[in-house]
Amino acid sequence: MIVEEPAVSYGNKGYSVEEYLEMENAATEKHEYYRGEIFAMSGAKLQHNIVSANILATLHQKLRGKPCKPFNSEMRIHIEKNTLFTYPDVSVICGDVETLNDDDMNALNPTVIFEVLSPSTKSYDRGDKFKLYRDIPTLREYILVDPEIINVEAWYINDQGNWELKEYRNLTDQLVLAAIKTTLGMGEIYYDSKAIGLSVK
C-alpha cells in the first residue's frame, strides 16, 4: 500500500488511538496513524504488486515449518514508542505474534520489514518512516525494494548495534536475511517483472 503524502484524511483534529482504531476497523480503505493524524493510503501499481507478491510467496515457501512467518500488507504494525500504525508491504514475525492489548490485529514485534518503493513515498520510506521503524525493539532488518529496476537496499543491525546498508543491483545477487536465516534471489524478487525484461502476464 502507498501513503499519499501528506494527505490527511480527517482534517486536523487530534485523534486518539482508540478513535483511529474504531474508524479504521469500520473503513473500507486503509489509513496510517501518527501522533493524532490519520493519513490516507491508496492502491499500488502493477509492478509494485508483482514484486510484493513475489517476496511474500517466496518467503512463505522458504519459511514453511520454521518459527518465522511472513505477512502481507493486511497486517497492521503498531509502534508503541512513537504511536505509528502502518501497513508494511511485507513483514516477518518470529515466534508468537504480540499484539496491542492482545487484540489479534495490531502486531508489535516484526523482525523484518519490506517496503516496495514508489515515486511518491520513496523519500518517506528511506527517511522519516525508517526512523520510526527503528523504534521497534524486535526489528533487525529493513528492506527497500525498487519495483522498476533491480535495486534493493537492505538495512541491518551490525555487531556494534548500528544500522548498516548493503545494496543489491545484479540479477545474480542473493539478498541475505540473516535475522531469519534465509536468502532471496533477485530473480525471485523480480520474477515476471519488467525490471528483468520479462513480459507481465
Side-chain angles (χ1 to χ4, degrees), residues 26-108:
T28 57
E29 298 177 348
K30 295 176 183 173
H31 304 82
E32 276 195 351
Y33 173 93
Y34 179 62
R35 291 187 175 177
E37 292 187 292
I38 297 174
F39 299 86
M41 304 181 75
S42 69
K45 293 182 178 179
L46 178 60
Q47 294 302 312
H48 185 288
N49 288 329
I50 289 171
V51 170
S52 296
N54 287 344
I55 294 168
L56 183 67
T58 306
L59 286 173
H60 265 301
Q61 181 182 19
K62 294 190 174 185
L63 295 177
R64 187 172 299 165
K66 297 181 180 180
C68 300
K69 293 180 173 59
F71 296 89
N72 64 15
S73 61
E74 294 298 313
M75 175 59 79
R76 188 163 61 223
I77 300 295
H78 176 49
I79 307 173
E80 291 184 291
K81 185 174 180 179
N82 58 45
T83 78
L84 181 69
F85 285 84
T86 189
Y87 298 84
D89 290 302
V90 177
S91 55
V92 180
I93 297 175
C94 297
D96 294 334
V97 179
E98 299 174 11
T99 60
L100 180 65
N101 300 322
D102 295 324
D103 60 11
D104 204 31
M105 295 181 64
N106 299 287
L108 305 173

Side-chain angles (χ1 to χ4, degrees), residues 106-123:
N106 299 287
L108 305 173
N109 60 323
T111 301
V112 182
I113 287 176
F114 288 81
E115 292 287 9
V116 180
L117 300 174
S118 72
S120 64
T121 65
K122 61 184 178 182
S123 295

Side-chain angles (χ1 to χ4, degrees), residues 1 4 14 39 159:
M1 299 299 291
E4 295 294 344
F39 299 86
D159 292 340

Side-chain angles (χ1 to χ4, degrees), residues 96-160:
D96 294 334
V97 179
E98 299 174 11
T99 60
L100 180 65
N101 300 322
D102 295 324
D103 60 11
D104 204 31
M105 295 181 64
N106 299 287
L108 305 173
N109 60 323
T111 301
V112 182
I113 287 176
F114 288 81
E115 292 287 9
V116 180
L117 300 174
S118 72
S120 64
T121 65
K122 61 184 178 182
S123 295
Y124 173 55
D125 289 335
R126 288 180 173 130
D128 289 343
K129 196 167 194 180
F130 185 24
K131 291 178 183 178
L132 296 174
Y133 278 151
R134 293 201 294 268
D135 282 336
I136 302 173
T138 57
L139 188 66
R140 293 295 175 267
E141 293 175 303
Y142 179 51
I143 315 300
L144 297 164
V145 182
D146 190 324
E148 302 293 336
I149 60 173
I150 298 172
N151 186 32
V152 173
E153 303 166 26
W155 290 92
Y156 65 94
I157 297 180
N158 62 24
D159 292 340
Q160 289 73 45

